[in-house]
Amino acid sequence: MIKDNPGKTAFAVSKELFPRVYQKQPDLTLSEVIGHLDLLLVHGRIKEDCFGDQIIYSNYE
């Protein structure tokens, strides 16, 4: 998902992964996505960049 379309926020990833649930349960879907993004960061699979008050996740290239 990030590999194909880099430069996404956790919320954007959440919307894409959980299109029918993210509005009803944003805390649950964001928690799930952020947990996976954190693991990918720890293992060096993705990177994060801060732009103002947003954190953008993208792959290393």
mmCIF file of all heavy atoms in Angstrom, residues 25-61:
data_model
loop_
_atom_site.group_PDB
_atom_site.id
_atom_site.type_symbol
_atom_site.label_atom_id
_atom_site.label_comp_id
_atom_site.label_asym_id
_atom_site.label_seq_id
_atom_site.Cartn_x
_atom_site.Cartn_y
_atom_site.Cartn_z
ATOM 1 N N GLN A 25 -15.489 3.491 13.575
ATOM 2 C CA GLN A 25 -14.564 3.117 14.633
ATOM 3 C C GLN A 25 -13.162 3.661 14.334
ATOM 4 O O GLN A 25 -12.215 2.904 14.163
ATOM 5 C CB GLN A 25 -14.515 1.604 14.780
ATOM 6 C CG GLN A 25 -15.833 1.003 15.178
ATOM 7 C CD GLN A 25 -15.761 -0.505 15.287
ATOM 8 O OE1 GLN A 25 -14.951 -1.151 14.646
ATOM 9 N NE2 GLN A 25 -16.619 -1.061 16.117
ATOM 10 N N PRO A 26 -13.015 4.982 14.290
ATOM 11 C CA PRO A 26 -11.709 5.533 13.929
ATOM 12 C C PRO A 26 -10.607 5.186 14.926
ATOM 13 O O PRO A 26 -9.462 4.990 14.530
ATOM 14 C CB PRO A 26 -11.958 7.043 13.884
ATOM 15 C CG PRO A 26 -13.165 7.255 14.733
ATOM 16 C CD PRO A 26 -13.991 6.017 14.592
ATOM 17 N N ASP A 27 -10.947 5.090 16.210
ATOM 18 C CA ASP A 27 -9.920 4.763 17.197
ATOM 19 C C ASP A 27 -9.376 3.356 16.986
ATOM 20 O O ASP A 27 -8.169 3.114 17.061
ATOM 21 C CB ASP A 27 -10.451 4.931 18.618
ATOM 22 C CG ASP A 27 -11.773 4.215 18.860
ATOM 23 O OD1 ASP A 27 -12.444 3.816 17.892
ATOM 24 O OD2 ASP A 27 -12.148 4.054 20.037
ATOM 25 N N LEU A 28 -10.240 2.415 16.675
ATOM 26 C CA LEU A 28 -9.823 1.035 16.450
ATOM 27 C C LEU A 28 -8.993 0.903 15.175
ATOM 28 O O LEU A 28 -7.926 0.275 15.174
ATOM 29 C CB LEU A 28 -11.046 0.122 16.377
ATOM 30 C CG LEU A 28 -10.788 -1.354 16.145
ATOM 31 C CD1 LEU A 28 -10.016 -1.951 17.301
ATOM 32 C CD2 LEU A 28 -12.106 -2.083 15.952
ATOM 33 N N THR A 29 -9.463 1.487 14.096
ATOM 34 C CA THR A 29 -8.751 1.349 12.824
ATOM 35 C C THR A 29 -7.409 2.076 12.854
ATOM 36 O O THR A 29 -6.407 1.548 12.368
ATOM 37 C CB THR A 29 -9.607 1.849 11.649
ATOM 38 O OG1 THR A 29 -9.986 3.204 11.862
ATOM 39 C CG2 THR A 29 -10.855 0.999 11.469
ATOM 40 N N LEU A 30 -7.363 3.272 13.437
ATOM 41 C CA LEU A 30 -6.094 3.994 13.522
ATOM 42 C C LEU A 30 -5.098 3.277 14.419
ATOM 43 O O LEU A 30 -3.905 3.222 14.119
ATOM 44 C CB LEU A 30 -6.316 5.426 14.022
ATOM 45 C CG LEU A 30 -6.752 6.418 12.960
ATOM 46 C CD1 LEU A 30 -7.120 7.750 13.595
ATOM 47 C CD2 LEU A 30 -5.653 6.615 11.941
ATOM 48 N N SER A 31 -5.577 2.720 15.511
ATOM 49 C CA SER A 31 -4.700 1.966 16.399
ATOM 50 C C SER A 31 -4.080 0.788 15.670
ATOM 51 O O SER A 31 -2.870 0.524 15.806
ATOM 52 C CB SER A 31 -5.494 1.490 17.614
ATOM 53 O OG SER A 31 -4.709 0.678 18.433
ATOM 54 N N GLU A 32 -4.867 0.072 14.918
ATOM 55 C CA GLU A 32 -4.376 -1.072 14.144
ATOM 56 C C GLU A 32 -3.326 -0.631 13.134
ATOM 57 O O GLU A 32 -2.248 -1.221 13.034
ATOM 58 C CB GLU A 32 -5.555 -1.730 13.425
ATOM 59 C CG GLU A 32 -5.195 -2.928 12.596
ATOM 60 C CD GLU A 32 -5.007 -4.192 13.410
ATOM 61 O OE1 GLU A 32 -5.402 -4.219 14.585
ATOM 62 O OE2 GLU A 32 -4.448 -5.154 12.852
ATOM 63 N N VAL A 33 -3.618 0.413 12.388
ATOM 64 C CA VAL A 33 -2.704 0.895 11.353
ATOM 65 C C VAL A 33 -1.414 1.429 11.973
ATOM 66 O O VAL A 33 -0.319 1.109 11.508
ATOM 67 C CB VAL A 33 -3.395 1.973 10.482
ATOM 68 C CG1 VAL A 33 -2.396 2.699 9.605
ATOM 69 C CG2 VAL A 33 -4.477 1.339 9.636
ATOM 70 N N ILE A 34 -1.520 2.229 13.005
ATOM 71 C CA ILE A 34 -0.326 2.806 13.630
ATOM 72 C C ILE A 34 0.553 1.710 14.215
ATOM 73 O O ILE A 34 1.787 1.781 14.128
ATOM 74 C CB ILE A 34 -0.722 3.855 14.687
ATOM 75 C CG1 ILE A 34 -1.309 5.083 13.976
ATOM 76 C CG2 ILE A 34 0.472 4.254 15.549
ATOM 77 C CD1 ILE A 34 -1.960 6.087 14.900
ATOM 78 N N GLY A 35 -0.048 0.681 14.784
ATOM 79 C CA GLY A 35 0.737 -0.443 15.290
ATOM 80 C C GLY A 35 1.558 -1.110 14.199
ATOM 81 O O GLY A 35 2.746 -1.405 14.385
ATOM 82 N N HIS A 36 0.946 -1.320 13.055
ATOM 83 C CA HIS A 36 1.670 -1.942 11.940
ATOM 84 C C HIS A 36 2.718 -0.992 11.365
ATOM 85 O O HIS A 36 3.820 -1.427 11.010
ATOM 86 C CB HIS A 36 0.698 -2.395 10.857
ATOM 87 C CG HIS A 36 -0.051 -3.626 11.227
ATOM 88 N ND1 HIS A 36 0.480 -4.885 11.125
ATOM 89 C CD2 HIS A 36 -1.296 -3.791 11.727
ATOM 90 C CE1 HIS A 36 -0.399 -5.778 11.529
ATOM 91 N NE2 HIS A 36 -1.495 -5.128 11.911
ATOM 92 N N LEU A 37 2.391 0.294 11.272
ATOM 93 C CA LEU A 37 3.372 1.261 10.774
ATOM 94 C C LEU A 37 4.577 1.336 11.711
ATOM 95 O O LEU A 37 5.720 1.411 11.241
ATOM 96 C CB LEU A 37 2.730 2.637 10.617
ATOM 97 C CG LEU A 37 1.704 2.773 9.489
ATOM 98 C CD1 LEU A 37 0.991 4.110 9.577
ATOM 99 C CD2 LEU A 37 2.349 2.578 8.131
ATOM 100 N N ASP A 38 4.342 1.291 13.010
ATOM 101 C CA ASP A 38 5.444 1.295 13.978
ATOM 102 C C ASP A 38 6.355 0.088 13.774
ATOM 103 O O ASP A 38 7.583 0.221 13.826
ATOM 104 C CB ASP A 38 4.911 1.314 15.409
ATOM 105 C CG ASP A 38 4.396 2.668 15.833
ATOM 106 O OD1 ASP A 38 4.689 3.670 15.158
ATOM 107 O OD2 ASP A 38 3.693 2.723 16.865
ATOM 108 N N LEU A 39 5.763 -1.078 13.565
ATOM 109 C CA LEU A 39 6.582 -2.277 13.322
ATOM 110 C C LEU A 39 7.399 -2.139 12.036
ATOM 111 O O LEU A 39 8.572 -2.506 11.997
ATOM 112 C CB LEU A 39 5.691 -3.513 13.226
ATOM 113 C CG LEU A 39 5.244 -4.109 14.539
ATOM 114 C CD1 LEU A 39 4.236 -5.238 14.299
ATOM 115 C CD2 LEU A 39 6.420 -4.629 15.329
ATOM 116 N N LEU A 40 6.780 -1.623 11.002
ATOM 117 C CA LEU A 40 7.512 -1.423 9.752
ATOM 118 C C LEU A 40 8.648 -0.428 9.929
ATOM 119 O O LEU A 40 9.738 -0.600 9.361
ATOM 120 C CB LEU A 40 6.556 -0.960 8.653
ATOM 121 C CG LEU A 40 5.557 -2.012 8.164
ATOM 122 C CD1 LEU A 40 4.490 -1.367 7.295
ATOM 123 C CD2 LEU A 40 6.269 -3.124 7.423
ATOM 124 N N LEU A 41 8.436 0.607 10.729
ATOM 125 C CA LEU A 41 9.496 1.582 11.020
ATOM 126 C C LEU A 41 10.648 0.938 11.776
ATOM 127 O O LEU A 41 11.820 1.138 11.434
ATOM 128 C CB LEU A 41 8.935 2.743 11.847
ATOM 129 C CG LEU A 41 8.138 3.789 11.107
ATOM 130 C CD1 LEU A 41 7.402 4.689 12.089
ATOM 131 C CD2 LEU A 41 9.058 4.619 10.231
ATOM 132 N N VAL A 42 10.337 0.167 12.793
ATOM 133 C CA VAL A 42 11.360 -0.489 13.612
ATOM 134 C C VAL A 42 12.220 -1.422 12.758
ATOM 135 O O VAL A 42 13.429 -1.508 12.951
ATOM 136 C CB VAL A 42 10.710 -1.261 14.783
ATOM 137 C CG1 VAL A 42 11.685 -2.196 15.452
ATOM 138 C CG2 VAL A 42 10.132 -0.296 15.793
ATOM 139 N N HIS A 43 11.605 -2.091 11.804
ATOM 140 C CA HIS A 43 12.325 -3.040 10.957
ATOM 141 C C HIS A 43 12.933 -2.381 9.717
ATOM 142 O O HIS A 43 13.480 -3.080 8.857
ATOM 143 C CB HIS A 43 11.408 -4.192 10.559
ATOM 144 C CG HIS A 43 11.051 -5.065 11.711
ATOM 145 N ND1 HIS A 43 11.936 -5.953 12.287
ATOM 146 C CD2 HIS A 43 9.915 -5.163 12.432
ATOM 147 C CE1 HIS A 43 11.354 -6.568 13.299
ATOM 148 N NE2 HIS A 43 10.124 -6.102 13.407
ATOM 149 N N GLY A 44 12.831 -1.064 9.617
ATOM 150 C CA GLY A 44 13.456 -0.341 8.515
ATOM 151 C C GLY A 44 12.801 -0.535 7.168
ATOM 152 O O GLY A 44 13.428 -0.322 6.140
ATOM 153 N N ARG A 45 11.538 -0.902 7.160
ATOM 154 C CA ARG A 45 10.833 -1.140 5.889
ATOM 155 C C ARG A 45 10.223 0.136 5.319
ATOM 156 O O ARG A 45 9.995 0.239 4.115
ATOM 157 C CB ARG A 45 9.738 -2.184 6.084
ATOM 158 C CG ARG A 45 10.194 -3.511 6.662
ATOM 159 C CD ARG A 45 10.929 -4.383 5.663
ATOM 160 N NE ARG A 45 10.207 -4.642 4.450
ATOM 161 C CZ ARG A 45 9.350 -5.632 4.264
ATOM 162 N NH1 ARG A 45 9.094 -6.478 5.233
ATOM 163 N NH2 ARG A 45 8.757 -5.792 3.103
ATOM 164 N N ILE A 46 9.908 1.101 6.181
ATOM 165 C CA ILE A 46 9.357 2.386 5.757
ATOM 166 C C ILE A 46 10.047 3.496 6.541
ATOM 167 O O ILE A 46 10.787 3.241 7.494
ATOM 168 C CB ILE A 46 7.822 2.473 5.963
ATOM 169 C CG1 ILE A 46 7.459 2.348 7.439
ATOM 170 C CG2 ILE A 46 7.100 1.450 5.101
ATOM 171 C CD1 ILE A 46 5.995 2.609 7.746
ATOM 172 N N LYS A 47 9.797 4.723 6.143
ATOM 173 C CA LYS A 47 10.309 5.880 6.879
ATOM 174 C C LYS A 47 9.163 6.840 7.137
ATOM 175 O O LYS A 47 8.114 6.762 6.492
ATOM 176 C CB LYS A 47 11.425 6.571 6.105
ATOM 177 C CG LYS A 47 10.983 7.173 4.784
ATOM 178 C CD LYS A 47 12.124 7.846 4.091
ATOM 179 C CE LYS A 47 11.648 8.437 2.763
ATOM 180 N NZ LYS A 47 12.671 9.239 2.126
ATOM 181 N N GLU A 48 9.381 7.737 8.094
ATOM 182 C CA GLU A 48 8.375 8.753 8.378
ATOM 183 C C GLU A 48 9.011 10.126 8.293
ATOM 184 O O GLU A 48 10.171 10.307 8.649
ATOM 185 C CB GLU A 48 7.722 8.533 9.743
ATOM 186 C CG GLU A 48 8.630 8.708 10.913
ATOM 187 C CD GLU A 48 7.938 8.475 12.250
ATOM 188 O OE1 GLU A 48 6.761 8.113 12.285
ATOM 189 O OE2 GLU A 48 8.610 8.670 13.266
ATOM 190 N N ASP A 49 8.261 11.063 7.792
ATOM 191 C CA ASP A 49 8.693 12.455 7.695
ATOM 192 C C ASP A 49 7.603 13.325 8.291
ATOM 193 O O ASP A 49 6.412 13.056 8.099
ATOM 194 C CB ASP A 49 8.927 12.856 6.233
ATOM 195 C CG ASP A 49 10.062 12.086 5.599
ATOM 196 O OD1 ASP A 49 11.186 12.159 6.123
ATOM 197 O OD2 ASP A 49 9.827 11.409 4.577
ATOM 198 N N CYS A 50 8.013 14.346 9.016
ATOM 199 C CA CYS A 50 7.059 15.280 9.628
ATOM 200 C C CYS A 50 6.957 16.531 8.776
ATOM 201 O O CYS A 50 7.972 17.132 8.420
ATOM 202 C CB CYS A 50 7.496 15.646 11.039
ATOM 203 S SG CYS A 50 7.461 14.250 12.158
ATOM 204 N N PHE A 51 5.740 16.908 8.444
ATOM 205 C CA PHE A 51 5.448 18.130 7.715
ATOM 206 C C PHE A 51 4.406 18.885 8.515
ATOM 207 O O PHE A 51 3.213 18.554 8.463
ATOM 208 C CB PHE A 51 4.933 17.833 6.310
ATOM 209 C CG PHE A 51 5.946 17.171 5.425
ATOM 210 C CD1 PHE A 51 5.896 15.810 5.190
ATOM 211 C CD2 PHE A 51 6.960 17.910 4.852
ATOM 212 C CE1 PHE A 51 6.830 15.192 4.383
ATOM 213 C CE2 PHE A 51 7.902 17.306 4.036
ATOM 214 C CZ PHE A 51 7.841 15.943 3.809
ATOM 215 N N GLY A 52 4.852 19.861 9.286
ATOM 216 C CA GLY A 52 3.935 20.585 10.159
ATOM 217 C C GLY A 52 3.408 19.650 11.226
ATOM 218 O O GLY A 52 4.175 19.062 11.983
ATOM 219 N N ASP A 53 2.112 19.467 11.264
ATOM 220 C CA ASP A 53 1.509 18.591 12.272
ATOM 221 C C ASP A 53 1.137 17.223 11.703
ATOM 222 O O ASP A 53 0.414 16.460 12.332
ATOM 223 C CB ASP A 53 0.283 19.260 12.886
ATOM 224 C CG ASP A 53 -0.809 19.548 11.879
ATOM 225 O OD1 ASP A 53 -0.540 19.438 10.677
ATOM 226 O OD2 ASP A 53 -1.924 19.886 12.293
ATOM 227 N N GLN A 54 1.644 16.886 10.519
ATOM 228 C CA GLN A 54 1.343 15.592 9.908
ATOM 229 C C GLN A 54 2.592 14.719 9.830
ATOM 230 O O GLN A 54 3.692 15.214 9.563
ATOM 231 C CB GLN A 54 0.802 15.763 8.485
ATOM 232 C CG GLN A 54 -0.582 16.322 8.423
ATOM 233 C CD GLN A 54 -1.130 16.246 7.006
ATOM 234 O OE1 GLN A 54 -0.396 16.216 6.046
ATOM 235 N NE2 GLN A 54 -2.440 16.207 6.898
ATOM 236 N N ILE A 55 2.401 13.433 10.059
ATOM 237 C CA ILE A 55 3.466 12.453 9.851
ATOM 238 C C ILE A 55 3.121 11.687 8.584
ATOM 239 O O ILE A 55 2.037 11.112 8.467
ATOM 240 C CB ILE A 55 3.590 11.495 11.049
ATOM 241 C CG1 ILE A 55 3.914 12.276 12.315
ATOM 242 C CG2 ILE A 55 4.643 10.431 10.770
ATOM 243 C CD1 ILE A 55 3.896 11.448 13.565
ATOM 244 N N ILE A 56 4.049 11.704 7.638
ATOM 245 C CA ILE A 56 3.849 11.061 6.348
ATOM 246 C C ILE A 56 4.755 9.819 6.291
ATOM 247 O O ILE A 56 5.933 9.894 6.589
ATOM 248 C CB ILE A 56 4.220 12.018 5.186
ATOM 249 C CG1 ILE A 56 3.436 13.327 5.291
ATOM 250 C CG2 ILE A 56 4.016 11.340 3.843
ATOM 251 C CD1 ILE A 56 1.948 13.188 5.169
ATOM 252 N N TYR A 57 4.172 8.701 5.912
ATOM 253 C CA TYR A 57 4.904 7.446 5.814
ATOM 254 C C TYR A 57 5.164 7.125 4.359
ATOM 255 O O TYR A 57 4.293 7.291 3.497
ATOM 256 C CB TYR A 57 4.083 6.314 6.444
ATOM 257 C CG TYR A 57 3.849 6.516 7.918
ATOM 258 C CD1 TYR A 57 2.705 7.176 8.360
ATOM 259 C CD2 TYR A 57 4.767 6.075 8.846
ATOM 260 C CE1 TYR A 57 2.499 7.382 9.713
ATOM 261 C CE2 TYR A 57 4.559 6.279 10.201
ATOM 262 C CZ TYR A 57 3.420 6.925 10.632
ATOM 263 O OH TYR A 57 3.221 7.137 11.970
ATOM 264 N N SER A 58 6.378 6.678 4.075
ATOM 265 C CA SER A 58 6.727 6.291 2.713
ATOM 266 C C SER A 58 7.787 5.203 2.767
ATOM 267 O O SER A 58 8.412 4.981 3.800
ATOM 268 C CB SER A 58 7.198 7.491 1.896
ATOM 269 O OG SER A 58 8.276 8.131 2.532
ATOM 270 N N ASN A 59 7.988 4.556 1.624
ATOM 271 C CA ASN A 59 8.986 3.500 1.563
ATOM 272 C C ASN A 59 10.354 4.111 1.252
ATOM 273 O O ASN A 59 10.461 5.232 0.788
ATOM 274 C CB ASN A 59 8.592 2.456 0.518
ATOM 275 C CG ASN A 59 8.398 3.053 -0.851
ATOM 276 O OD1 ASN A 59 7.954 4.189 -0.983
ATOM 277 N ND2 ASN A 59 8.698 2.306 -1.884
ATOM 278 N N TYR A 60 11.394 3.353 1.554
ATOM 279 C CA TYR A 60 12.749 3.771 1.218
ATOM 280 C C TYR A 60 13.002 3.506 -0.257
ATOM 281 O O TYR A 60 12.694 2.438 -0.763
ATOM 282 C CB TYR A 60 13.781 2.991 2.037
ATOM 283 C CG TYR A 60 13.889 3.462 3.452
ATOM 284 C CD1 TYR A 60 13.394 2.704 4.498
ATOM 285 C CD2 TYR A 60 14.502 4.672 3.736
ATOM 286 C CE1 TYR A 60 13.519 3.128 5.802
ATOM 287 C CE2 TYR A 60 14.616 5.124 5.050
ATOM 288 C CZ TYR A 60 14.129 4.330 6.071
ATOM 289 O OH TYR A 60 14.242 4.765 7.353
ATOM 290 N N GLU A 61 13.545 4.479 -0.937
ATOM 291 C CA GLU A 61 13.935 4.280 -2.329
ATOM 292 C C GLU A 61 15.219 4.998 -2.597
ATOM 293 O O GLU A 61 15.545 5.964 -2.058
ATOM 294 C CB GLU A 61 12.843 4.767 -3.275
ATOM 295 C CG GLU A 61 11.693 3.822 -3.308
ATOM 296 C CD GLU A 61 10.721 4.118 -4.429
ATOM 297 O OE1 GLU A 61 11.165 4.585 -5.502
ATOM 298 O OE2 GLU A 61 9.547 3.879 -4.265
#
